[in-house]
Amino acid sequence: RPEDFVSLCSAQRLLCSMAQQSVLGTPELVLHILSFMSPLEGLACARVNRVFLQAARDPSRWRRIDLPPEVATDATLAQVVGFASRTHELLLEGCHRVTEAGVLACLQRPAVGGHLRKLCLARLTSLDDRAALLLLSLCPQLEHIDLRHTDIRDATVTGLLHHCPRVTGLDLAYTHCSDNGMRALLQQLPPHQLTHVHLKGTRLGDQSLCLLAEKCTHCIYLNLQSTLLTELTVEAIGTHCHKLKVLDLRQCFSLSDNTILFRDLCRRLPLLESLGLPFLMHNLDRVAPCEADRGWRYAVQQVV
């Protein structure tokens, strides 16, 4: 926006004046100032003097690149990545003006793709299996992958571990993943690897979710909201996932109002802190309704 450009130019002139008066002479102070700025603002301030340029190139500033959708384009991404060194997180959620070619050029830089630990391409609705697999092949160190609200299908899910064998966090909410694709992924998965799984809005059922519970015994966060699971999956979770802290089963309308089943589930998951259910259960021991969700979410306060 024009007013943002004017304010940015004013700030840049002020910093120039302060730099000339040696008010901002130490790199540590300059780096602290830049820590409050967005990547694009930091790039603008890099033109003030050599001290600012050196601070702007500091690797700690580029460990996490998070571009707001309203300013993110291929050009701005290329500008930011030009300064990047050992980037660990690249977050492009909802950046619809960033194209596949722009992301590809970014990940092809060794300072980005070779060191990336977390990649978020959520809500890039044009992202399909071909593009997703190509981008993932450039990030062998990835540990967390967020592909929510994209057009990916089983091909990406089954080929994911081939390109990113270290993944521990997986977000496939509202994608077109099927039971067959999820089972193929889980059969390749080493035991205990996944710790954070988000499958909200997928059409997955007991066939794959029971296997998920068996394979992901170290899982801490599990969101199965709006899936097709039944009591079989709930029983499998209680049997295998003893390290769970968050379990969301809201809007799983295939579940029945089985108080005994969920009371037993809480007893079998000693670390559970939050449990989301698709119905009110007033007599569930040690579980109190959260008013913010009108009784749909239950916070496990103390489970012995």
Side-chain angles (χ1 to χ4, degrees), residues 7 12 50 54 63 75 104 131 135 152 159 189 221 234 244 249 261 263 275-276 284:
S7 62
Q12 190 174 358
R50 290 183 180 179
Q54 179 183 358
R63 298 286 163 80
L104 182 63
L135 298 177
I152 66 160
L189 190 72
Y221 174 91
V234 176
L244 265 183
L249 304 176
L261 173 68
R263 184 186 297 122
L275 171 62
L284 188 60

Side-chain angles (χ1 to χ4, degrees), residues 60-162:
S60 64
R61 275 194 49 77
W62 306 107
R63 298 286 163 80
R64 185 176 190 268
I65 297 178
D66 185 1
L67 291 182
E70 59 271 15
V71 300
T73 63
D74 288 350
T76 55
L77 180 60
Q79 279 184 313
V80 170
V81 169
F83 271 71
S85 175
R86 292 183 176 271
T87 299
H88 290 173
E89 298 184 17
L90 178 61
L91 310 179
L92 299 174
E93 179 174 357
C95 297
H96 301 292
R97 292 189 292 171
V98 176
T99 66
E100 175 193 336
V103 181
L104 182 63
C106 169
L107 296 180
Q108 285 176 333
R109 294 180 60 90
V112 181
H115 298 279
L116 212 58
R117 299 292 187 272
K118 180 176 181 178
L119 176 63
C120 177
L121 301 175
R123 302 184 188 278
L124 299 186
T125 53
S126 62
L127 188 71
D128 57 14
D129 287 326
R130 180 195 60 80
L133 288 173
L134 177 60
L135 298 177
L136 292 177
S137 68
L138 300 173
C139 310
Q141 307 298 324
L142 274 182
E143 297 173 359
H144 187 98
I145 302 172
D146 187 347
L147 298 173
R148 287 172 292 141
H149 294 275
T150 58
D151 196 35
I152 66 160
R153 301 174 186 272
D154 287 348
T156 297
V157 177
T158 55
L160 189 147
L161 283 178
H162 175 71

Side-chain angles (χ1 to χ4, degrees), residues 35-266:
S35 69
F36 296 97
M37 299 183 181
S38 70
L40 293 179
E41 292 169 340
L43 289 180
C45 291
R47 305 177 190 142
V48 171
N49 61 18
R50 290 183 180 179
V51 175
F52 273 83
L53 178 62
Q54 179 183 358
R57 291 188 179 278
D58 190 280
S60 64
R61 275 194 49 77
W62 306 107
R63 298 286 163 80
R64 185 176 190 268
I65 297 178
D66 185 1
L67 291 182
E70 59 271 15
V71 300
T73 63
D74 288 350
T76 55
L77 180 60
Q79 279 184 313
V80 170
V81 169
F83 271 71
S85 175
R86 292 183 176 271
T87 299
H88 290 173
E89 298 184 17
L90 178 61
L91 310 179
L92 299 174
E93 179 174 357
C95 297
H96 301 292
R97 292 189 292 171
V98 176
T99 66
E100 175 193 336
V103 181
L104 182 63
C106 169
L107 296 180
Q108 285 176 333
R109 294 180 60 90
V112 181
H115 298 279
L116 212 58
R117 299 292 187 272
K118 180 176 181 178
L119 176 63
C120 177
L121 301 175
R123 302 184 188 278
L124 299 186
T125 53
S126 62
L127 188 71
D128 57 14
D129 287 326
R130 180 195 60 80
L133 288 173
L134 177 60
L135 298 177
L136 292 177
S137 68
L138 300 173
C139 310
Q141 307 298 324
L142 274 182
E143 297 173 359
H144 187 98
I145 302 172
D146 187 347
L147 298 173
R148 287 172 292 141
H149 294 275
T150 58
D151 196 35
I152 66 160
R153 301 174 186 272
D154 287 348
T156 297
V157 177
T158 55
L160 189 147
L161 283 178
H162 175 71
H163 299 299
C164 309
R166 299 186 179 185
V167 63
T168 60
L170 185 60
D171 194 335
L172 298 176
Y174 294 105
T175 59
H176 303 288
C177 174
S178 72
D179 279 317
N180 291 335
M182 181 55 64
R183 285 181 64 85
L185 169 67
L186 294 171
Q187 287 166 356
Q188 306 170 44
L189 190 72
H192 320 310
Q193 182 163 320
L194 286 181
T195 59
H196 293 74
V197 183
H198 190 182
L199 299 173
K200 177 181 178 180
T202 56
R203 309 306 291 170
L204 299 176
D206 293 329
Q207 181 184 3
S208 59
L209 296 180
C210 286
L211 180 59
L212 174 69
E214 294 173 13
K215 296 283 286 190
C216 302
T217 54
H218 286 199
C219 192
I220 297 172
Y221 174 91
L222 183 57
N223 189 329
L224 302 178
Q225 185 177 345
S226 302
T227 57
L228 303 178
L229 62 84
T230 69
E231 283 82 355
L232 291 175
T233 296
V234 176
E235 180 67 29
I237 291 172
T239 302
H240 301 287
C241 303
H242 296 263
K243 297 190 177 183
L244 265 183
K245 293 184 178 181
V246 178
L247 175 61
D248 197 339
L249 304 176
R250 288 178 294 167
Q251 300 180 24
C252 295
F253 296 117
S254 298
L255 290 174
S256 62
D257 187 353
N258 189 335
T259 305
I260 297 176
L261 173 68
F262 288 100
R263 184 186 297 122
D264 182 59
L265 176 68
C266 291

